[in-house]
Amino acid sequence: MENLSLYENLFIKADSLISEGNVSEAKELLEDILAQCPDFGKAHNHLGWIHYNKLSNHERAIYHYKLAIKFDSKYPASYINYAYLLVDLGKYKEAKEHIAFTFLTLENIDYCNFYSELGRIHELEGDYIVAYRYYLKSKKMAFNPQFIENMKSNTQRVYDKMSIFEKIKIKFNKKI
């Protein structure tokens, strides 16, 4: 138990280093944590984030996100970060399956981020009505004013992309 506390403290330091922009130092610290405690899920999540966002190493990011979910199934950041990655890589079917799995697996989910990603997937697939509905659903569940504004922009953008027939469907189908 004492060692776990040590690793948690080191993890907090690595998290702070990332926030400060010291990603290289954070990466080394996270790798040190995993060398001693290979099942520390949060460290895998952060390494996944670094590999994807800073190093463009998609395969390593996927590897670490999957281990993060495996080893710390209650840590929500791993689930949404993995969803972002899958959508960014154009793996829409896999992203939808992952989000469905998340809804079944994780308790106390911040649904608005996942609904937003589902909206993004459907928008990218050209299914504007479904995208519009997910963005609205996401907005209704959100508390962050900036996020709400982003969802308003997303719904307007998708609405602007719709054909006249899709707009009519939205107008007369209030099951949104």
Side-chain angles (χ1 to χ4, degrees):
M1 188 66 160
E2 186 178 316
N3 280 344
L4 185 57
S5 180
L6 169 69
Y7 299 130
E8 287 172 344
N9 288 335
L10 290 172
F11 170 77
I12 290 168
K13 180 170 174 56
D15 188 58
S16 293
L17 288 168
I18 291 170
S19 296
E20 295 165 4
N22 296 324
V23 177
S24 177
E25 201 176 326
K27 181 179 177 284
E28 286 180 25
L29 185 53
L30 292 165
E31 289 170 343
D32 289 346
I33 292 169
L34 290 174
Q36 299 299 313
C37 187
D39 60 349
F40 197 100
K42 291 175 187 168
H44 281 291
N45 172 70
H46 279 43
L47 272 178
W49 185 89
I50 290 170
H51 279 286
Y52 182 56
N53 291 292
K54 298 299 181 182
L55 302 175
S56 298
N57 187 337
H58 305 152
E59 295 307 314
R60 289 300 292 172
I62 289 169
Y63 169 79
H64 282 292
Y65 283 142
K66 286 182 176 182
L67 288 177
I69 291 166
K70 175 183 176 182
F71 292 131
D72 194 346
S73 63
K74 295 189 185 307
Y75 186 56
S78 305
Y79 291 86
I80 193 62
N81 286 339
Y82 187 46
Y84 292 148
L85 171 70
L86 292 172
V87 177
D88 288 347
L89 294 177
K91 297 181 176 195
Y92 306 138
K93 182 176 185 255
E94 196 174 336
K96 288 177 196 175
E97 291 168 356
H98 168 68
I99 292 170
F101 169 77
T102 300
F103 287 170
L104 292 173
T105 306
L106 199 58
E107 295 176 17
N108 302 317
I109 301 170
D110 183 5
Y111 284 97
C112 62
N113 286 311
F114 289 98
Y115 287 141
S116 174
E117 283 307 289
L118 287 168
R120 191 162 69 113
I121 291 166
H122 286 282
E123 181 179 359
L124 290 164
E125 291 178 330
D127 192 351
Y128 301 129
I129 291 174
V130 175
Y132 184 86
R133 290 178 178 158
Y134 275 120
Y135 287 142
L136 280 180
K137 205 172 193 179
S138 179
K139 183 179 89 175
K140 287 178 184 177
M141 300 188 87
F143 291 100
N144 180 302
Q146 183 60 49
F147 187 90
I148 292 168
E149 283 303 312
N150 289 344
M151 291 307 104
K152 285 180 184 176
S153 296
N154 290 351
T155 53
Q156 185 59 56
R157 182 186 62 249
V158 169
Y159 187 81
D160 292 344
K161 291 179 179 181
M162 288 181 190
S163 70
I164 188 71
F165 300 109
E166 290 171 315
K167 289 176 183 176
I168 291 169
K169 281 184 180 180
I170 288 291
K171 206 167 204 102
F172 292 106
N173 184 359
K174 295 300 178 191
K175 294 181 184 175
I176 296 177

